[in-house]
Amino acid sequence: MGLEGPGTAGPPLATPLPTPNGSWLGQDLEGQWPETLEKSPCVAGVVAVIYYSVLLGLGLPVNLLTTVALARLVTRTRKPSYYYLLALTASDVITQVVIVFMGFLLQGAVLARQVPKAVVRTANILEFAANHASVWIAVLFTLDRYNALCRPLHHRANASPGRTCRAIATVFSAALLTGIPFYWWLDVWKDTEPPSTLDEILKWAHCLTVYFIPCSVFLVTNSVIICQLRRRGQNGLQPRTGKSTAILLGVTSLFALLWAPRIIVMLYHLYVAPVHRDWRVHLALDVANMTAMLNTVVNFGLYCFVSKTFRTIVQQVIQDAYLLCTLGSQPEGMGAEPVLRPPELPKGAEL
């Protein structure tokens, strides 16, 4: 996603933190830009590398477990909400591999940013595409829940696995296309050319695409959903919230909360203080990026907290994996003792 990260000039005070990209101030400040800049020291260096290593080491297996569990729910129920949650988890896996592993750890920590500029900028396309896919799959999920609660007849008539898969495929394709312009996303730690208007345009395009527009959709649709549920309660009807709706409110709220620091610091960096010369902005940007990436691993805990059905499926997946490993480790010819499995979920069970 073109996350800006630390770099150092002269004797480094800490290990440089890996991050793909950043940018300088707008073209209107070009005349005020000094000819020589001293980069601020990498304040969060080693801590950030450890953080991203733990995030990847724990988050990737958890997301893969979530993917298998949701795939089973998709097969059993064929509900659109499960398709959207499965696609959201898949995009989180892509984000962790492309941004956390390839961008932060491999490019920054292992290769020490000694990567050809063309390779870095090509990776930008995948990073921004992964972000766009994750956010806009959540938008699709939001619209699906809105139609299910506020327009139930229309939702039943139009919701189908085929349409859901086509909508998801369209979002992934659009995410890849919208990531192409970010090939020209400037790297604040390596690009020495003066700041340009293009950088400001890309910054605002990023903020609008991954935060302001999606959060506006979340705010409007979630407000309507909550009002609809309250209205049902006031009319004497049971305001059946549903697990999917509870998960929707949790997913969108966590996204808005965890991504807010990155957007705020990015705009502050763009118009007020460059990261190069102020270690406090440098540190704030590091922490904001770390917080934003936390969004790729929190959904598993949310699903487990809200849904008993999901917890049951996860237990089945773990038991099946354990049984498979146990059978594979036994000598050939030895039989395995019968294993009791939990009862199958009823078809149509909700998350």
Side-chain angles (χ1 to χ4, degrees):
M1 68 182 173
L3 294 173
E4 296 91 337
T8 58
L13 300 183
T15 303
L17 171 64
T19 58
N21 311 297
S23 69
W24 288 359
L25 298 178
Q27 183 69 37
D28 55 335
L29 298 182
E30 181 177 351
Q32 305 174 15
W33 201 262
E35 294 182 0
T36 59
L37 291 173
E38 294 184 2
K39 293 183 179 180
S40 62
C42 179
V43 183
V46 176
V47 175
V49 172
I50 296 174
Y51 171 83
Y52 288 119
S53 299
V54 173
L55 185 71
L56 185 66
L58 296 179
L60 190 57
V62 164
N63 277 332
L64 292 177
L65 175 60
T66 305
T67 301
V68 176
L70 289 173
R72 291 192 178 187
L73 286 171
V74 165
T75 303
R76 296 180 186 184
T77 65
R78 301 183 68 81
K79 284 190 172 183
S81 58
Y82 293 143
Y83 283 92
Y84 291 128
L85 293 177
L86 179 60
L88 180 61
T89 305
S91 62
D92 285 340
V93 172
I94 295 173
T95 299
Q96 288 181 326
V97 172
V98 173
I99 297 178
V100 178
F101 176 69
M102 294 177 57
F104 284 110
L105 297 178
L106 182 61
Q107 178 188 329
V110 177
L111 302 179
R113 301 183 60 80
Q114 300 303 315
V115 182
K117 182 181 294 187
V119 175
V120 174
R121 295 194 172 189
T122 302
N124 290 349
I125 298 176
L126 298 178
E127 292 162 6
F128 281 98
N131 269 339
H132 297 172
S134 179
V135 174
W136 285 93
I137 289 296
V139 171
L140 281 185
F141 181 44
T142 303
L143 297 177
D144 174 76
R145 289 297 86 204
Y146 167 79
N147 287 326
L149 289 172
C150 302
R151 305 170 63 190
L153 296 179
H154 180 272
H155 182 264
R156 291 174 186 174
N158 293 277
S160 67
R163 290 192 176 186
T164 302
C165 291
R166 286 193 294 271
I168 292 172
T170 300
V171 167
F172 275 103
S173 300
L176 184 59
L177 291 176
T178 55
I180 293 176
F182 293 92
Y183 177 89
W184 292 275
W185 182 275
L186 298 182
D187 186 348
V188 70
W189 310 119
K190 298 189 70 173
D191 291 348
T192 57
E193 62 266 18
S196 66
T197 304
L198 175 63
D199 181 39
E200 186 173 357
I201 293 175
L202 291 178
K203 286 273 188 176
W204 273 106
H206 175 62
C207 293
L208 290 172
T209 304
V210 303
Y211 194 78
F212 290 122
I213 295 178
C215 284
S216 299
V217 176
F218 297 153
L219 178 62
V220 172
T221 53
N222 289 347
S223 299
V224 173
I225 288 173
I226 293 173
C227 291
Q228 181 73 9
L229 294 174
R230 288 181 177 178
R231 189 178 301 114
R232 290 182 182 179
Q234 293 173 355
N235 293 335
L237 301 176
Q238 183 180 2
R240 184 174 178 272
T241 304
K243 302 300 182 183
S244 296
T245 304
I247 287 177
L248 166 65
L249 298 177
V251 167
T252 54
S253 299
L254 286 172
F255 168 78
L257 180 65
L258 294 176
W259 268 77
R262 169 172 165 79
I263 300 301
I264 293 172
V265 176
M266 178 184 297
L267 295 178
Y268 181 86
H269 154 62
L270 182 63
Y271 290 110
V272 181
V275 180
H276 266 88
R277 294 179 294 172
D278 193 335
W279 68 269
R280 291 167 297 184
V281 180
H282 194 150
L283 177 61
L285 195 54
D286 292 343
V287 175
N289 290 334
M290 293 161 65
T291 304
M293 283 294 95
L294 186 62
N295 185 68
T296 61
V297 299
V298 295
N299 288 340
F300 174 81
L302 175 65
Y303 301 160
C304 289
F305 177 77
V306 171
S307 174
K308 182 178 179 180
T309 300
F310 182 79
R311 293 196 298 269
T312 302
I313 292 293
V314 168
Q315 291 174 358
Q316 291 182 10
V317 172
I318 295 175
Q319 289 175 358
D320 290 346
Y322 175 77
L323 178 61
L324 183 62
C325 293
T326 302
L327 293 177
S329 62
Q330 289 182 350
E332 186 177 355
M334 291 187 61
E337 296 182 358
V339 178
L340 295 178
R341 295 191 58 184
E344 294 290 330
L345 294 173
K347 187 175 180 179
E350 189 179 7
L351 216 173

